[in-house]
Structures are given as C-alpha cells and as structure tokens.
Amino acid sequence: MNAAVAALVALGIGVIVVRRRSLATALVALQGLILGVTALSLEGGDSGTMVVAGVILLVRAAAIPVLLVLARRRTPERTLVAPTTSVATRLLLATAVVLVAVAATPPLGLGDRVAEHGSVALLCLGITTVAVRRPAILQVLGVLVAENGVYLLAIAVPGGVPAVVELGVLFDLVLVVTVAIAFAGKIHERVGSGDTDLLRGLRD
Amino acid sequence: MTSTEALLIALPAVPVAVAALVFLAPSGRVADRINLFGAVLTAAIAATLVVLALDAAPGVAASGSWFTLDVAAGVFLALAAAVGFASALVSPTYLRHAGRSWFGERRSHVYYYAAFNLFWAALLALPLAANLALAWLLIEATTAASALLVTFSGKRSALEAGWKYLVLTTLGLGVALLGIVVLYAAVGGHGPASLGWDALARSAAGLPARTTLFAFVLIVVGLAAKIGWAPVHNWLPDAHSEAPPPISALLSAALLPTVLLIAWRTQLALAPALGQTAVQELFLGFGLVSLAVAVPFLWRPLPWKRLLAYSSLEHMGIIALGIGFGTPLAIAGVVIHLAGHAIAKSLGFYTAIPLLRQDPGAARRAARGVARFSPSTAGAMTVSLVSLAALPPSPLFASELMVLLGGIEAGLLAVAAVAAVLLALGFLGLAHALLEGLYGGRGSRGTGPRPRSARAVALLSGVAVVALLALTVAACVLPGSDLVRGLMGGGA
C-alpha cells in the first residue's frame, strides 16, 4: 500500500509539472490503474465487490482516459499553451502542497496514516493543478487527481465504502467529465485554443 | 407501496420523463407544451407532498431508508417546486427570443427543456434525501445539467461562467466527499444506512470528536462552494449573470438553499459529537464573510443580473447566520427569509427578460432610467429590490429582524451587531441601485415596442406582491409554531 500511495502522489505531482496534455492524461490513467489494482487486492475474494472494483478500474484507468485522448485529438493546439510558471516553480509548489497536506492532516481514524496523508495530498494536488494549469483538459485532469485522492481514502476504509455509493460516485464522475469534455471542445471552437486564460472576461 | 411513496417516486420521475419526451417534439412549440404539462403535473405532486409534510409537523409524514418527508423536506421542496414551476412557465417567453444557443437554433428548445427538467428532478429529490451519501450524489447530479444551462447562450462569457461553475463546484464536492468518507469510517462503516440522518444522529454522541469535526468541516466547506458562501463563491456572480433568467432564478432561489439544507441537516445530525460552539462558529463565519464580501458590490453600478447575484451571496450569508444562531426565533427567521428571498429573487431574474429585450446593453452595464421607457418592468424591479433590500413591509425585513434578535437571544450580541451594520449598508446599496435603475441616466435607453414578456412580468409582480405580504403576516405567527419545532429537530 505504501509504495502505491507514493506512486500515486508522485504521479499527481507529475500532472502539475509536465507540459503536454497527452503525458498528463497518461499519468492520470496510471493513477487509475494503480488505484484499481490496489482496490482489487484489498477486496479479499468477495465476488460482488471484486466486480465493482473491476468496473471502477476499467472506467478510471481506461474509459475516462480514452475520452480525454479523443477530446485532445479534437482540440489540437498549434503551439503548446505556455505555463505561466516554470517547471522548477511548479515542482516546488507541488512538493510544498504535499508537505503541508501531510503535516496538516489529523488522524482520520482509518488506521492507515500513509493512505490518509496520500489521500489529502492528492486532493490538494488536484486543486493546485486546476489553479496553476491553464489548458481546459489539464484542469479536468486536476479534478480527476482530486477524485482519485477521495477514492484512495474510500478503498482504505476498513470494509470499504458501500458498492452502491462507489458506483454512484463513479456515474457522477463520468457525467461531469463528459460535460467538461464537451465544454473543452466548445471553448476550443470559440477561442481557437483550450487555454482557459483566454476566457477571463468576467470581472467586477 | 403506499400512495405517499408512489408520489415520492413520481416527483423526480415526471421531470425525468419530460426530459426524454421533449426529444420527440417536432417543433419548439410542441416542446413548450410538453414542458408546461410536465411542470403542472410535477408541481401538483410536489404541492401534495408539501401539504403532507407540513400537516405532520413537528413530526415526520413518511420515511424510508433513502427518503424522508419531514418538515425540512416540506419547506425546501416547496421552494424548489415553486421556483421550478415559475421558471418552467417563464421559459417559453425567454426561448422565443433567445436565438442561437450552444445547441443551435433549431433544437435549442429541446436541449434546454431536457437539461432544465433533469436539473429540476435532482433539485426536487434533494430535500427528500434521508442519507448524506445520496444527498451528495444528487447535488453532484445537479452540476452537469445546470452547467449546460448556464452556458446555454453559447457566448464566450457564458462559456467562462459555465466552466468556472463546473470546475469549482466539482472540486468543492470532492472535498465534501472526502469528508463523507472520513465520517463513514468514523461511524464504523456498516453499509450506506449508517450515513442516514437518523443513524448519524443516533451514533453522533459516541463518535470521536476530532475526526468528526474534521469530517464536518470538510463536508460544510465543500458544500459551501456549491452554496456560494464567501470566500468560495467565485463562480456565483458569473453563473447567475450569464445563465438564462429562468435558470438564474432556479440557481439562486432553489439550488443554493437546497444544498444549504444538506449542510444544515449534517450540522443537526452531528451536533452531539461536535458541541454547539464548533458548528455555530463555522456557520457564523461563513455568514459574516459572505455579508462582508457581498455588501461592497451592492454599492457598485453592476448589470442587473450581476447585482442580483451578489444579493444572493448576501442572503445566503443571512441564512447561514440564522442557522448558526440556532434559536427558535432565528430559525423562524430563516424560514421566512428562504421563502421571501425565493419570491423576490425569482421575480428579479424574470424581470431581466423584458429589460434585456428593451435595453440589451443592460447585460453589460447597470440599468438606467427604466421607469422612463418601461413602467411595468420598472414596477417589477421595484417589487424585487424593495423586498430584497428588506424595506418594510417586506417579509425579509421581518426575517432579518428575527435572525438578529435570535442572535442576541443566543448571547452573540457582537455578531448580531456586525451583521446589522452590514445589512444596513447592503440596504443602502440596493436602494441606491434601485433609484439609479429607475430614474438614473439621461434620456430613454429602451428601444422597440413593449415586449409581451413585460406583460407577463407585470402579472408575476402582482402575484409576488400578494405572496410577499402573506409571508409578512406569516412571520408574525411562525415563531413557536410546530413548523419551527420540526425544523429544530429537523433532519435528525
């Protein structure tokens, strides 16, 4: 579990740092795969919960990334949307976010401090990704990193979270990602780029 | 299955069915009729359930594993149903001149009604949810449909508003979900039933205080992003100002309060674990910050719908204060405030339809001199802003007074005093905006003939005046009633 959490956090940092949407999508797909495999290994042989974990793995590691890849192909960028901050600054920021999240998280009663820390760190990394990355697809990936943090905590709960809730959350996630992808396409059509900074017209 | 259970299933099922049926409509006019028929049926079912819920006050009319028809459900269902019904009635008037949308001109009615009814269905089901996890799923379900509606016009500014709304509220709900998972682990994780309001209230006293407080803060802070409480309100002014007016009304007068109910129910259920002070401080903090952030904007010359959006922030702050004070008088004030705000704010947003037809520039700058070119629109603006500013005999005057007196009764004189000063400043700001809107500027900016929507809004103004005055009378008898007693023990 510890190695899986470390890998998830490292991938989350990667989403903030990398420049290309394709690479960031691959990192989030890998997160989905690690989470899915971890969930399956913790289920302990109950066929019903194994099926649910399998479905979640397929959706998080395959279906959603495929949707994002298709969205990226439909919205080609002539040039890379230049990040407003350097790679070093983003790496420093992401590391600081993880350290603060780990330091500030009180015991959550799950009995697995590494999972608790990793979960809150991923949530904070997702929020940071949305705040510092401009391309719409990267912001959707930020939302997914944050949701992966919640899912990590859910699979670390002794006995797991009820399947009906997990599937409901997954359905809502797919719905929101689908709408977000439609938005990303429309933004690209309207402003000729997926750069959300070009939309900043509403101010008081 | 009892007849009440059948009605509870039919309530969200009818709008979902309408959302599917409108795709069969060969024209926009037929889609209008299908939507209208569905809205009447949905409102009738909702009205029956509201009567059943309020009749059983302070008890619970019906409950099951996933639903509850208690007093709180009745009050908030009434809000969601009434505003949704009014928005359904007004929508054809808006769509008649909406022109091109994200979905193109030919099928725009169909996609609008499909998204509208799916949004409404989730909103109607939300107050009835007897379980925190189910409530979260329903709140998230409102996001997708309502984000599409915010962006309906397809304009660049609407895309910006819709995107901001979608991303920020989804992240907020992610934070709330983390809190729910922490809470689920704290209660021992015995299946979804352990997140029911009753089950949470029963187990609360034995929960670890620190973990429960962390979960509670995550849940409320996450929901605050959807309620629009400052400082996590950034999407609110943009979404409310860019959405079609009937949708702005639904967002402001129904969505925000209904999500707030879930934060309130969570507070009532977990209070034994947290102690009154901790929950009080969180709500009072959000209330005061929301007021403090909103008031300066009420003084600025903002476009009409943007002004109303900041007024929503102010009013959600007042409701947070009322819940934070938590005395019977403050809770009675909250009920009146919810209803009065819903009526006045919906009317305000509907007024934007004729206003923007006659003065399209008012979408990007403050309205000026409306009384000179459209007396009926000016009348509706007056009813809306006078009520929202809480000028007597507005029921919002009575409700704000009750909330503030409730604060004093709770021993929180300093908080009540700061809130009173902010409310007074907010009143002056709105009064100034109203006078400028009616008589400010030079000459007549309005062009073209008086739109049919102006007549519809004039009629709605009359209905709103009667309803607002009835609420003012109700404010005199509500404190100490079974309804308030039901709400105080409410969701738990």
Side-chain angles (χ1 to χ4, degrees):
Chain A
M1 186 74 167
N2 290 3
V5 174
L8 289 168
V9 173
L11 291 168
I13 293 173
V15 175
I16 296 185
V17 173
V18 300
R19 290 189 68 181
R20 293 193 168 276
R21 296 179 299 172
S22 52
L23 185 52
T25 306
L27 296 180
V28 172
L30 199 52
Q31 271 192 339
L33 185 66
I34 293 171
L35 279 166
V37 171
T38 309
L40 281 170
S41 67
L42 291 173
E43 290 303 347
D46 179 351
S47 60
T49 50
M50 292 283 273
V51 169
V52 171
V55 169
I56 294 173
L57 185 152
L58 281 176
V59 172
R60 284 185 183 266
I64 291 177
V66 166
L67 282 176
L68 289 165
V69 167
L70 293 175
R72 187 179 55 77
R73 287 195 178 155
R74 277 180 40 229
T75 58
E77 298 286 354
R78 284 192 209 95
T79 54
L80 276 176
V81 177
T84 48
T85 50
S86 67
V87 170
T89 310
R90 293 201 301 278
L91 184 60
L92 205 64
L93 178 69
T95 310
V97 164
V98 171
L99 292 175
V100 170
V102 168
T105 309
L108 303 181
L110 270 69
D112 184 345
R113 288 295 283 155
V114 175
E116 291 175 1
H117 286 148
S119 171
V120 177
L122 283 175
L123 182 76
C124 295
L125 283 172
I127 294 170
T128 310
T129 304
V130 172
V132 301
R133 301 308 306 265
R134 289 154 49 191
I137 295 286
L138 275 172
Q139 294 193 349
V140 178
L141 290 171
V143 170
L144 287 170
V145 170
E147 294 281 345
N148 283 343
V150 180
Y151 185 51
L152 171 62
L153 196 72
I155 60 179
V157 171
V161 167
V164 63
V165 175
E166 283 196 8
L167 291 174
V169 170
L170 187 72
F171 174 75
D172 274 349
L173 182 65
V174 172
L175 199 64
V176 166
V177 168
T178 308
V179 172
I181 286 172
F183 266 75
K186 202 72 186 175
I187 290 169
H188 191 273
E189 181 188 314
R190 192 83 194 177
V191 301
S193 164
D195 185 355
T196 53
D197 253 17
L198 299 173
L199 286 174
R200 292 193 178 177
L202 293 169
R203 296 276 165 85
D204 290 313
Chain B
M1 185 190 291
T2 65
S3 57
T4 306
E5 285 170 349
L7 287 173
L8 286 164
I9 292 168
L11 183 69
V14 171
V16 169
V18 171
L21 274 175
V22 288
F23 282 98
L24 303 176
S27 67
R29 201 170 280 262
V30 176
D32 287 347
R33 285 181 189 151
I34 293 172
N35 180 63
L36 186 64
F37 176 74
V40 170
L41 190 57
T42 306
I45 295 168
T48 310
L49 289 171
V50 169
V51 169
L52 287 173
L54 299 187
D55 192 44
V60 178
S63 66
S65 312
W66 297 98
F67 71 88
T68 179
L69 189 59
D70 58 3
V71 181
V75 170
F76 285 82
L77 178 59
L79 279 187
V83 178
F85 181 61
S87 286
L89 292 184
V90 169
S91 289
T93 311
Y94 162 75
L95 287 171
R96 198 174 299 129
H97 301 289
R100 265 192 77 77
S101 72
W102 174 338
F103 308 101
E105 196 161 353
R106 209 174 64 81
R107 299 291 283 169
S108 65
H109 282 58
V110 169
Y111 286 102
Y112 175 93
Y113 287 131
F116 172 85
N117 279 287
L118 290 175
F119 178 31
W120 196 23
L123 264 184
L124 291 167
L126 190 51
L128 304 167
N131 184 290
L132 181 55
L134 175 64
W136 185 93
L137 291 172
L138 289 168
I139 295 171
E140 182 75 311
T142 63
T143 304
S146 56
L148 287 172
L149 288 164
V150 168
T151 321
F152 179 74
S153 72
K155 290 176 188 163
R156 192 172 169 144
S157 53
L159 268 176
E160 180 185 352
W163 180 256
K164 212 184 270 186
Y165 169 65
L166 182 69
V167 172
L168 294 183
T169 57
T170 303
L171 279 179
L173 290 177
V175 173
L177 184 59
L178 191 80
I180 293 171
V181 174
V182 173
L183 186 61
Y184 181 72
V187 297
H190 305 297
S194 56
L195 288 173
W197 306 124
D198 289 338
L200 283 174
R202 276 196 302 274
S203 59
L207 293 179
R210 198 166 169 219
T211 306
T212 310
L213 179 63
F214 187 69
F216 175 71
V217 170
L218 286 176
I219 293 167
V220 175
V221 168
L223 292 180
K226 187 88 180 183
I227 296 166
W229 277 333
V232 281
H233 68 288
N234 302 49
W235 64 270
L236 190 148
D238 298 343
H240 286 202
S241 61
E242 294 302 322
I247 304 306
S248 304
L250 209 51
L251 286 172
S252 174
L255 175 70
L256 307 187
T258 312
V259 178
L260 196 149
L261 169 67
I262 303 308
W264 189 5
R265 283 193 190 276
T266 309
Q267 180 238 307
L268 285 168
L270 297 182
L274 303 171
Q276 195 56 34
T277 313
V279 294
Q280 212 170 31
E281 281 170 359
L282 193 60
F283 278 81
L284 295 179
F286 274 125
L288 282 182
V289 174
S290 297
L291 278 178
V293 169
V295 166
F297 287 99
L298 301 180
W299 277 85
R300 295 175 66 170
L302 294 173
W304 175 247
K305 285 174 71 190
R306 229 169 155 76
L307 181 75
L308 294 177
Y310 280 107
S311 157
S312 294
L313 179 58
E314 183 201 17
H315 288 286
M316 287 307 116
I318 297 164
I319 293 166
L321 286 174
I323 294 173
F325 292 146
T327 63
L329 189 60
I331 297 301
V334 166
V335 175
I336 296 295
H337 206 88
L338 283 164
H341 172 258
I343 296 166
K345 190 58 64 67
S346 303
L347 177 66
F349 279 119
Y350 301 148
T351 305
I353 300 174
L355 176 67
L356 297 181
R357 277 277 289 155
Q358 289 186 291
D359 184 9
R364 292 282 166 263
R365 54 153 172 78
R368 289 280 182 271
V370 178
R372 284 196 287 273
F373 62 83
S374 180
S376 56
T377 305
M381 286 170 72
T382 306
V383 173
S384 175
L385 273 203
V386 162
S387 303
L388 292 171
L391 187 74
S394 161
L396 298 188
F397 172 76
S399 63
E400 287 178 8
L401 198 63
M402 288 155 81
V403 167
L404 294 176
L405 289 174
I408 295 167
E409 195 180 22
L412 296 160
L413 183 62
V415 178
V418 172
V421 171
L422 290 169
L423 287 174
L425 290 171
F427 165 78
L428 292 172
L430 283 180
H432 175 254
L434 177 62
L435 289 175
E436 283 289 317
L438 295 182
Y439 304 109
R442 288 181 185 171
S444 180
R445 289 170 190 262
T447 55
R450 184 170 173 245
R452 277 163 60 184
S453 53
R455 284 199 293 277
V457 164
L459 182 68
L460 280 175
S461 303
V463 175
V465 167
V466 173
L468 288 165
L469 289 175
L471 264 181
T472 306
V473 174
C476 304
V477 295
L478 199 62
S481 66
D482 284 344
L483 191 144
V484 173
R485 274 198 292 279
L487 282 169
M488 300 276 301

